[in-house]
Amino acid sequence: MKIAAAQFASVPGDVDANVHAMHGLIRAASGQGADLVVFAELAVTGYELELIAKDPALWVEEDDPRLDPVREACRAERIAAVVNCVAARTGGARPAIASLVVGPRGELLTRYDKQHLHGPELDIFEAGTADGRFTLDGVRFALAICYDNRFPELAERAKQDNCQVYVASSALDVENDSFEAVYTVRARDNGLYVVLGNAVGLSDAGDCRGGSAVWGPDGAMTADAGTAAPGLAVAELPVQS
């Protein structure tokens, strides 16, 4: 199985432009043989908390037609995608920061809502309460979003739940130590492949410069998208179903 960690500079608050960029990266990842592509935290809107707080039109539904280009690309290329967005909650006054996993037939495989909110997120979003899991081609995946990764119990539960791949959608600035202190440790301590899709550009998260990457179960980095945008880190994972 091949996995791609994708990065691009989201246009603040422009859902259509960002979904179009995702469409292109899904096709590019498929062209490199990827079975799954992972995008950064809030890639659909950009990590723009002030904009999100002011404009509920930036919230998306699970079946939102604005995400149709992503679904179409997944169907056309027979690839899955982890799309992170501001997602409405049934009966909720606040949205969630959510990863929607679109399958290779354009179907929704699962939704995961970020469990550990950080800083101003606490005033805007509702935290999730359940771990995220999905299976693709017989391989079991775990989902996490940015600050979630600071809590080792998420990866520990993923290992206990027979997951082989841990997917992290994040918005990390250049001063964040998670590249060295978190992702490699989650991989090594739990024997998991870790896939990070990180943001690019200036936003409320700071100066994010990509570095989307894949780490092996020994904690060694096996692919890195660098700091250019857009970009892909593509790695072959010798996992078995």
Side-chain angles (χ1 to χ4, degrees), residues 106-229:
E107 77 279 28
L108 182 67
L109 294 181
T110 197
R111 167 180 169 165
Y112 168 71
D113 292 355
K114 184 175 184 178
Q115 295 182 66
H116 298 93
L117 302 174
H118 182 262
E121 295 173 0
L122 292 161
D123 297 324
I124 303 169
F125 302 103
E126 189 75 22
T129 58
D131 290 339
R133 303 284 186 266
F134 69 98
T135 300
L136 183 67
D137 294 337
V139 176
R140 191 158 174 79
F141 290 77
L143 293 160
I145 302 171
C146 208
Y147 192 52
D148 281 337
N149 300 298
R150 289 282 180 176
F151 296 81
E153 57 267 27
L154 266 73
E156 291 166 2
R157 290 198 297 267
K159 178 183 179 181
Q160 294 165 4
D161 201 20
N162 297 314
C163 295
Q164 294 172 274
V165 186
Y166 179 94
V167 174
S169 296
S170 298
L172 305 172
D173 69 12
V174 292
E175 297 181 357
N176 197 297
D177 68 352
S178 294
F179 297 95
E180 300 82 16
V182 174
Y183 299 101
T184 184
V185 175
R186 299 292 171 265
R188 185 181 63 243
D189 285 359
N190 299 285
L192 296 167
Y193 291 93
V194 171
V195 184
L196 164 67
N198 193 41
V200 178
L202 291 171
S203 70
D204 290 344
D207 183 5
C208 300
R209 299 184 187 176
S212 299
V214 181
W215 289 264
D218 60 355
M221 184 182 290
T222 61
D224 178 8
T227 58

Side-chain angles (χ1 to χ4, degrees), residues 2 27-34 232 234:
K2 274 191 176 181
R27 288 188 173 273
S30 176
Q32 295 189 42
L232 292 167
V234 182

